[in-house]
Every structure is written in C-alpha cells, then in structure tokens.
Amino acid sequence: MELFETIFSRRSYRGMYKDTPVPREDLKKIMEAALAAPSGCNKQTTSVIAVDDPAIMKELTALIADRPGFASAPAGIFILTEKKIAYRDRTFYIHDYSAAIENALLAVQALGYESCWVEGHITDADRIGRKMADILGVPENIELVCYLPIGLAAEEGTHVRKQPFEERAWFNGYRK
Amino acid sequence: MELFETIFSRRSYRGMYKDTPVPREDLKKIMEAALAAPSGCNKQTTSVIAVDDPAIMKELTALIADRPGFASAPAGIFILTEKKIAYRDRTFYIHDYSAAIENALLAVQALGYESCWVEGHITDADRIGRKMADILGVPENIELVCYLPIGLAAEEGTHVRKQPFEERAWFNGYRK
C-alpha cells in the first residue's frame, strides 16, 4: 500500500474483531515496522511482544474485559519500554515508543487489519499494563505501556473528526 | 512509495543540504501527513509551521549554527505542542507529536527528501526552541519542540546500527 494512502486512511478501530487468526508473518512485519522507527540518540528503548497464542491472549484480554472490542482481538502487539537516559538527565523513551507505535499502526493498516493505540487504559492507577507484563514474564525494569489489538474488523468502524488543516498548519509564522 | 519500503529505508540525515527550494505542495503533503497521526483522546495537541522563506530560515537556523548540516536546509518544519489535559490529570502530547513527527519523516522519505528529528538540541536548557517560537510569533502557551530540516542531500548519509530483531521482538512472552 502506498505511504500517503496508508497514512490518510488509517483510523482507530474500537469495534469487535473477527476470530480469524493473524498469520505470524504479518505480525512479524508489523513488529519490524515498529522497530524501524528512529530513537533518541539511537538508544532503541522500545521492544515488542506479539501474542497469537489463544490461551495467552485470553488471559491478557481478561484484564480489559470492560472494553469488549479491544478484548476480542485474536492477536495483539504489546509495546515495552526501558526508561534509558539518552544523555545527561534527558530521556526520550516516550518519543521512541510513540514513533514505533505509529509505524506499527501504519503497517496494520497496509496489511488490511484494524487496531487502536490502547495506552491510557492500561497505564492508569490500576496498572493493568504491569499485570499484562507479569503474564508475559517482562522484568520489573521494563514497562508495558501499550496494547495494539490486531485482527480483522467484525463491524463498521468510525472516524473521528479532525480540525481543518488551516487550524493546525501554517507557513512562515504562527497562524499565517 | 510503498509503505514498508518507506519505513525500512528511512534514516536520519545529518549532512549538508543542497539549496534547491522545496515546493510548497511537498511541504503541505508532509504537514498533512503529520496531522493525520492519531492523538490521545483526539485532543489534536500538535500543530506545525513550515518555513520556506529564505530570510526567516536564515534567522531560525542562525540559532543552530553549531550544527551546520541542520542549519543548511532550504526549508524546515517546526513542530508545536499544546500541553492539553486528555482526561483527569493525564496528558499525551509527547505521544501525539511523536506520532506526527514519524508520519512527517516517512512523508519526507517518500518524497525523496532528507530530514532528522532535531529535538534534544532545541529543547535543552538554552531554550533554542523558545527563541525559534518567538521569531515565528508562537504564543507562550505553545511550545516549539522539534525542527525537521527538509531538503535534498548534498552528501552521502549514514545509517545507524540497530540491534537484531531477536533482541527486541518476541512471540508470546518476554525473550521467547
């Protein structure tokens, strides 16, 4: 799929998924896309775990049963981050994993699947991300910050409304 | 350009740029790609200014004269963020602009230009980003966090080395 077509057609999907399995080669392509993103000072703070084992997916998605759409995906990619110092006292791990996630979401779109950036819900005070990390054997110094459900849409998705270009983009000066 | 080809061929360019101007339609395409990225709770915290006016570029890049490569670009895109609350006490503006920047970098690659995510250098203690923002008339409540030089390469670029897939990606468990 062509880059701009992919970028402009991507959307966040919050509906139910079909139970059709996602071939491992597709999951691998999505993971490779994620890891190809740049990272601050090339610290490569992001790593990823894809889950396609139905029993493990069931255990993980039981933690987000209040979101039946996200919980219904046959596969998922879990984004891990290590809060490494890039230089002096500065870290860029949020930047790093966000760029990786965007690449992953574009790869998902190009391969014909649906996904959504599920982060706020799993990194909140109830620490669902940590519970997921424990199931996956992720050590304490590494945080699981995002779940990307992966699969085929079982229903129609929706598009959010965005502000027009003129409200967010200008040439040679602010609001020019 | 095909998505995966774009993702896997993108690299950060730190060399000198040719002075060939960048057509405004290309800058606009890059900005549109940036703004098509998702944002936490659809808060759309990111906005962008493209600069192609040589006098303004000269004034802005004089602030980063210690990086002659970045300072030599004929055009630039400047990433702005507003630290809006997404919900309760949570913000996702770093995530938002990082996903937007990744989209912009892919657009740059697909259009045959070079760029680099220049953030740490302009958001450091000497606040170059704020000086750039002042030149562009950006109000105090909005931060200029990143400069993307845009132009054609005048010299060979380099690729950083990345860890192999097996060191950063696994199936169904950590390091599995």
Side-chain angles (χ1 to χ4, degrees):
Chain A
M1 198 175 191
E2 195 268 335
L3 173 75
F4 290 102
E5 190 192 343
T6 315
I7 285 178
F8 298 131
S9 63
R10 185 211 53 78
R11 50 123 192 228
S12 300
Y13 178 77
R14 293 181 174 80
M16 297 296 288
Y17 286 84
K18 291 185 183 167
D19 55 11
T20 318
V22 180
R24 198 164 269 208
E25 68 195 74
D26 287 348
L27 291 173
K28 195 175 176 201
K29 203 89 188 271
I30 298 164
M31 295 158 96
E32 285 172 339
L35 299 179
S39 65
C41 303
N42 194 32
K43 291 292 176 187
Q44 302 172 64
T45 56
T46 311
S47 54
V48 291
I49 298 175
V51 176
D52 58 0
D53 180 299
I56 301 174
M57 268 308 276
K58 203 176 164 186
E59 202 182 343
L60 291 164
T61 56
L63 295 165
I64 50 166
D66 58 324
R67 308 287 165 101
F70 299 151
S72 70
I77 289 181
F78 296 82
I79 307 291
L80 311 180
T81 186
E82 193 178 343
K83 299 181 172 178
K84 284 184 197 165
I85 296 284
Y87 64 88
R88 211 184 55 228
D89 57 351
R90 303 202 67 187
T91 58
F92 297 105
Y93 62 90
I94 298 176
H95 308 71
D96 299 348
Y97 76 69
S98 299
I101 290 169
E102 180 60 11
N103 272 9
L105 292 173
L106 294 174
V108 163
Q109 177 70 11
L111 294 170
Y113 300 107
E114 303 287 343
S115 191
C116 187
W117 187 326
V118 184
E119 175 163 347
H121 189 51
I122 68 160
T123 56
D124 221 328
D126 52 355
R127 302 185 78 227
I128 294 171
R130 187 62 245 170
K131 291 169 194 161
M132 290 175 160
D134 288 342
I135 292 168
L136 294 168
V138 176
E140 284 290 335
N141 64 317
I142 295 182
E143 268 187 50
L144 191 160
V145 287
C146 177
Y147 160 53
L148 303 176
I150 316 280
L152 297 171
E155 50 187 311
E156 279 292 305
T158 51
H159 274 273
V160 294
R161 212 176 278 248
K162 285 193 176 160
Q163 294 179 67
F165 184 82
E166 298 69 30
E167 288 297 311
R168 297 176 69 195
W170 311 283
F171 285 93
N172 294 311
Y174 185 74
R175 295 205 167 272
K176 281 193 180 161
Chain B
M1 199 174 190
E2 196 267 337
L3 173 75
F4 290 102
E5 189 192 343
T6 314
I7 284 178
F8 297 131
S9 63
R10 185 211 53 78
R11 51 125 191 226
S12 301
Y13 178 77
R14 295 182 173 80
M16 297 296 289
Y17 286 84
K18 290 186 181 168
D19 55 11
T20 318
V22 180
R24 197 165 269 207
E25 67 196 75
D26 287 347
L27 291 173
K28 196 175 175 201
K29 204 87 186 275
I30 299 164
M31 296 158 96
E32 285 171 338
L35 299 179
S39 64
C41 302
N42 195 32
K43 291 293 176 188
Q44 301 171 64
T45 55
T46 311
S47 53
V48 290
I49 298 175
V51 176
D52 57 2
D53 181 299
I56 300 174
M57 269 307 277
K58 202 175 164 186
E59 202 181 345
L60 291 163
T61 55
L63 295 165
I64 50 165
D66 58 325
R67 307 287 166 103
F70 299 151
S72 69
I77 290 182
F78 297 82
I79 308 292
L80 311 180
T81 187
E82 193 178 344
K83 298 180 173 180
K84 285 185 198 165
I85 296 284
Y87 65 90
R88 213 184 52 230
D89 58 349
R90 303 202 66 188
T91 57
F92 298 105
Y93 62 89
I94 299 176
H95 308 70
D96 298 347
Y97 75 70
S98 298
I101 290 169
E102 181 59 10
N103 272 9
L105 292 175
L106 294 174
V108 164
Q109 177 70 10
L111 294 169
Y113 300 107
E114 303 287 344
S115 190
C116 187
W117 187 324
V118 183
E119 175 164 346
H121 188 52
I122 69 161
T123 56
D124 222 328
D126 51 356
R127 303 184 77 230
I128 294 171
R130 187 63 245 169
K131 291 169 196 162
M132 289 174 160
D134 289 341
I135 291 169
L136 295 168
V138 177
E140 284 289 336
N141 64 316
I142 294 180
E143 268 186 51
L144 192 159
V145 287
C146 177
Y147 160 53
L148 303 177
I150 316 280
L152 298 171
E155 50 187 312
E156 280 291 305
T158 51
H159 275 272
V160 294
R161 212 176 278 249
K162 285 193 176 161
Q163 293 177 69
F165 184 81
E166 298 71 30
E167 287 297 312
R168 297 177 68 194
W170 312 282
F171 286 92
N172 295 309
Y174 186 73
R175 293 205 168 271
K176 281 191 178 164

